[in-house]
Amino acid sequence: MLDSINISEIKFDAAGLVPAIAQDRDTGDVLMLAYMNRESLTKTLAVGRACFYSRSREKLWLKGETSGNFLNVQAISYDCDGDTLLLTVDPEGPACHTGERSCFYRELLTRPTEDKRGHVREDAILEDLQRVLEERKTAPAETSYVAGLYAGGAEAILAKVAEEAGEFIEAAKNEPDKAVVHEAADLLFHTMVMLCRRGLKIEAVLDELSRRSGTSGLEEKQGRTKKGTTHG
């Protein structure tokens, strides 16, 4: 709770500041890092929105006051030493001034998630793609192919899905295996874009496939037919 934090336990540095990390409550993604002094922390607790201290301008700044991209604070934690704050937030729009959802959108090193055999987990690949597709929702259309698809609306995305489905069918009929795999990847990618636009995650599709596991295709089809049957 915001009113349960004991400011006296926070160890501000010699300049009277403490680093504050903002983390998305829903996704767990780290959105940004800024600094707070005692006054900005007190204001944050009072208004329920993240207020920081600008070291360059030497003044308080309410995140979103100009852009409208507020960080609604749901909880504040501090580490074992009391010298770092963690803000759990519900963001209104992108956290980064560049328009990216998170300030940490550039990678210095990425180690793929692997299973015990050293193979990259398929679900990790899909999770990473899902994360990127979510981030592109707030990116300017001219800076990203996916953002451009979102800007075109559902019809534009569905037209692309239909196009990729046709190319997959053509490849399956006439092309070598490598081309079939390539077109299948394109079809899955654009299908995931549409799912993401609808607010659906690929995990929902995987869960549905898992639900069907152990059920014969005929039984599953009959079950859907019964659900669609109407009685007069």
Side-chain angles (χ1 to χ4, degrees), residues 91-108:
E92 294 184 23
C96 184
H97 73 281
T98 64
E100 293 287 342
R101 180 173 171 275
S102 167
C103 291
F104 298 93
Y105 61 90
R106 296 177 292 182
E107 296 181 348
L108 184 63

Side-chain angles (χ1 to χ4, degrees), residues 10-11 21 24 35 40 43 65 69 101-102 104 114 128 139 157-158 186-187 210 222 230:
I10 305 304
K11 297 178 182 177
I21 301 166
D24 190 303
Y35 288 83
S40 67
K43 184 173 180 178
E65 189 170 26
N69 299 326
R101 180 173 171 275
S102 167
F104 298 93
E114 299 178 348
D128 286 345
I157 300 173
L158 290 174
D186 282 349
L187 178 56
S210 177
Q222 289 173 353
T230 57

Side-chain angles (χ1 to χ4, degrees), residues 186-201:
D186 282 349
L187 178 56
L188 176 58
F189 176 87
H190 289 89
T191 299
M192 286 184 64
V193 173
M194 188 63 219
L195 288 171
C196 193
R197 187 186 186 279
R198 289 285 302 265
L200 298 170
K201 297 183 180 297

Side-chain angles (χ1 to χ4, degrees), residues 63-139:
K63 170 64 178 172
E65 189 170 26
T66 302
S67 65
N69 299 326
F70 295 101
L71 297 177
N72 298 307
V73 181
Q74 304 303 317
I76 301 179
S77 307
Y78 49 100
D79 70 349
C80 54
D81 295 321
D83 58 5
T84 304
L85 300 176
L86 176 64
L87 280 60
T88 304
V89 303
D90 287 332
E92 294 184 23
C96 184
H97 73 281
T98 64
E100 293 287 342
R101 180 173 171 275
S102 167
C103 291
F104 298 93
Y105 61 90
R106 296 177 292 182
E107 296 181 348
L108 184 63
L109 174 67
T110 300
R111 297 188 185 279
T113 305
E114 299 178 348
D115 60 21
K116 294 181 179 179
R117 297 171 296 171
H119 299 155
V120 178
R121 293 193 349 252
E122 291 82 356
D123 59 338
I125 296 173
L126 294 176
E127 287 171 5
D128 286 345
L129 176 56
Q130 181 83 51
R131 175 180 54 79
V132 172
L133 295 180
E134 287 287 348
E135 291 174 353
R136 294 299 182 266
K137 281 185 174 181
T138 55

